[in-house]
């Protein structure tokens, strides 16, 4: 019933004296309240079935629901240091961390990226800066908290017979064309802190994940095809060089990089023996590790020396597994 209809019904029934006007107002308000209540109940009954069916049809969440501050901490890395604002006139690598990451872990991760790239050839560094970014997340968070972390489909063109895939039948890529709109490699703060401050380290203080994942990103997204082919050739020629040959050329380069920077203390079973010097004992210093690689695998030594050190192998990164 419309409000103006109620008003017309009330005219002529309720006296126009002061008391009558007051009574008329009370009745008017009461009737409006009744109409509102009845309408609300009717709408609730109609929607009840719909809400039940919606609850049944909804898919379960893909991950546990939790409240996360979606803001990020940012730093930019050049070959001269770490910057709190993006440099205007030089290439830089963006490092982002979720708000939950401790400032110390964020600073450590940013500095580690700097130590990895400071001795590179400038053109190699520019390729890195234009291609990949770095993300740091807390041990109770997810890599996908970074919006651009979603897996990227590879736009590839291979000269393999009858198919297009990442590897040919013999396991070697022939030609690559990568598409990566916003590629970010991520690492947990727990690994950077080696499990300190209640953070979980999946490697239990035995290997620096950022160093190894950075190496993998170089192979997949940064290094020119001729350098990748050199890595593949070195991998194939080193089958009798190492105690336990890595399973593929990417793992080979990951383990070589971790050894080059003294960023692993894994057993020979994990490293292929790259970090094991004379008398079957682990190499002690970064220089010893590099000499060990040069003694046993000259092609790998040359690649690592060129990629990371611009052929100045004795300029150490001063990187380790945990503190640097």
């Amino acid at each position: 019933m419309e409000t103006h209809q109620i008003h017309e019904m009330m005219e002529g029934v309720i006296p126009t004296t002061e008391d009558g006007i007051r009574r008329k107002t009370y009745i008017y308000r009461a009737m409006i309240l009744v109409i509102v209540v009845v309408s609300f109940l009717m709408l609730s009954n109609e929607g009840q079935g719909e809400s039940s069916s919606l609850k049944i049809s909804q898919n379960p969440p893909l991950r546990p629901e939790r409240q996360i501050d979606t803001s990020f901490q940012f730093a930019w890395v050049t070959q001269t240091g770490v910057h709190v604002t993006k440099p205007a006139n030089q290439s830089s690598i963006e490092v982002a961390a979720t708000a939950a990451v401790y400032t110390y872990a964020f600073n450590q991760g940013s500095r580690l990226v700097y130590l990895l790239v400071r001795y590179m050839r400038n053109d190699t560094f520019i390729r890195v800066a234009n291609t990949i970014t770095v993300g740091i997340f807390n041990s109770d968070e997810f890599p996908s908290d970074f919006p651009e972390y979603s897996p990227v489909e590879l736009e590839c063109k291979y000269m393999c017979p009858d198919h297009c895939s990442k590897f040919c039948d013999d396991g070697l890529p022939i030609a690559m064309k990568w598409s990566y709109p916003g590629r970010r490699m991520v690492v947990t703060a727990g690994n950077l802190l080696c499990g300190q401050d209640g953070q979980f380290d999946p490697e239990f203080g035995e290997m620096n994940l950022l160093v190894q994942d950075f190496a993998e990103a170089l192979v997949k997204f940064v290094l020119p095809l001729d350098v990748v082919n050199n890595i593949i050739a070195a991998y194939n020629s080193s089958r009798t060089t190492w105690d336990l040959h890595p399973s593929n050329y990417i793992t080979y380069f990951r383990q070589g990089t971790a050894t080059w920077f003294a960023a692993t203390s894994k057993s020979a079973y994990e490293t292929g023996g790259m970090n094991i010097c004379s008398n079957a004992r682990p190499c002690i210093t970064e220089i010893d590790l590099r000499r060990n690689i040069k003694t046993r695998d000259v092609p790998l030594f040359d690649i690592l020396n060129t990629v990371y050190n611009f052929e100045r192998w004795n300029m150490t990164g001063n990187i380790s597994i945990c503190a640097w």
Side-chain angles (χ1 to χ4, degrees):
M1 182 177 296
E2 300 292 338
T3 303
H4 71 274
Q5 293 176 320
I6 298 170
H7 185 75
E8 290 173 357
M9 292 174 59
M10 292 170 60
E11 292 292 342
V13 177
I14 304 300
T16 58
T17 62
E18 184 176 347
D19 290 341
I21 292 173
R22 187 179 294 110
R23 290 170 57 196
K24 176 179 178 179
T25 302
Y26 290 157
I27 294 173
Y28 183 91
R29 290 177 177 175
M31 294 182 69
I32 293 296
L33 179 60
V34 170
I35 292 172
V36 170
V37 171
V38 171
S39 300
F40 176 81
L41 292 175
M42 291 177 65
L43 290 173
S44 298
N45 290 333
E46 289 177 0
Q48 191 170 18
E50 295 180 3
S51 62
S52 298
S53 62
L54 285 174
K55 289 179 181 179
I56 294 173
S57 64
Q58 284 177 343
N59 294 322
L62 297 179
R63 65 185 190 186
E65 294 183 3
R66 69 205 193 294
Q67 297 296 321
I68 288 183
D69 188 344
T70 56
S71 61
F72 293 95
Q73 309 169 65
F74 287 97
W76 287 266
V77 175
T78 67
Q79 289 189 283
T80 59
V82 179
H83 307 261
V84 295
T85 58
K86 184 177 176 62
N89 299 317
Q90 57 181 321
S91 299
S92 59
I93 302 171
E94 180 189 284
V95 181
T98 63
V101 171
Y102 293 134
T103 301
Y104 177 72
F106 175 48
N107 292 340
Q108 284 290 91
S110 302
R111 174 169 169 76
L112 179 53
V113 175
Y114 161 67
L115 295 178
L116 287 168
V117 302
R118 61 176 170 167
Y119 296 138
M120 283 182 170
R121 280 178 47 145
N122 184 250
D123 60 340
T124 302
F125 170 76
I126 291 174
R127 290 175 67 95
V128 175
N130 291 340
T131 305
I132 63 173
T133 55
V134 178
I136 305 170
F137 62 97
N138 230 26
S139 58
D140 61 346
E141 296 179 316
F142 297 85
S144 55
D145 285 334
F146 295 94
E148 68 274 63
Y149 182 74
S150 300
V152 177
E153 291 294 329
L154 300 181
E155 182 184 341
C156 58
K157 184 177 181 181
Y158 293 84
M159 296 181 290
C160 304
D162 302 325
H163 73 283
C164 172
S165 64
K166 185 175 180 182
F167 300 105
C168 295
D169 291 334
D170 60 358
L172 303 181
I174 302 300
M176 289 180 282
K177 182 180 179 183
W178 304 94
S179 176
Y180 39 87
R183 180 70 186 183
R184 186 182 296 276
M185 52 159 293
V186 296
V187 65
T188 174
N191 181 252
L192 296 173
L193 298 174
C194 281
Q196 299 174 14
D197 296 324
Q199 296 288 306
F200 174 69
D201 175 14
E203 296 297 330
F204 303 100
E206 294 182 343
M207 194 260 287
N208 190 307
L209 281 173
L210 196 154
V211 172
Q212 282 211 340
D213 289 350
F214 185 84
E216 181 169 341
L218 292 184
V219 177
K220 289 183 175 179
F221 305 118
V222 177
L223 298 177
L225 182 59
D226 61 331
V227 178
V228 175
N229 285 336
N230 288 340
I231 294 172
I232 294 169
Y235 169 71
N236 288 330
S237 67
S238 66
R239 294 185 183 277
T240 59
T241 297
W242 301 110
D243 300 334
L244 294 163
H245 198 238
S247 58
N248 57 66
Y249 71 92
I250 294 178
T251 301
Y252 172 73
F253 189 72
R254 281 173 58 98
Q255 293 175 353
T257 297
T259 303
W260 185 262
F261 288 113
T264 180
S265 63
K266 293 277 190 179
S267 66
Y269 180 80
E270 296 284 344
T271 67
M274 292 183 185
N275 60 338
I276 306 300
C277 285
S278 58
N279 299 321
R281 296 188 177 186
C283 305
I284 304 299
T285 68
E286 199 170 342
I287 290 294
D288 288 340
L289 288 162
R290 294 180 180 184
R291 283 176 175 159
N292 186 55
I293 295 175
K294 185 176 183 178
T295 299
R296 302 180 65 177
D297 194 340
V298 173
L300 177 60
F301 174 89
D302 290 341
I303 293 168
L304 295 170
N305 188 26
T306 300
V307 170
Y308 294 110
N309 280 67
F310 197 4
E311 300 179 4
R312 300 165 292 175
W313 72 274
N314 58 333
M315 299 179 71
T316 57
N318 296 322
I319 295 171
S320 61
I321 301 172
C322 297
W324 50 85

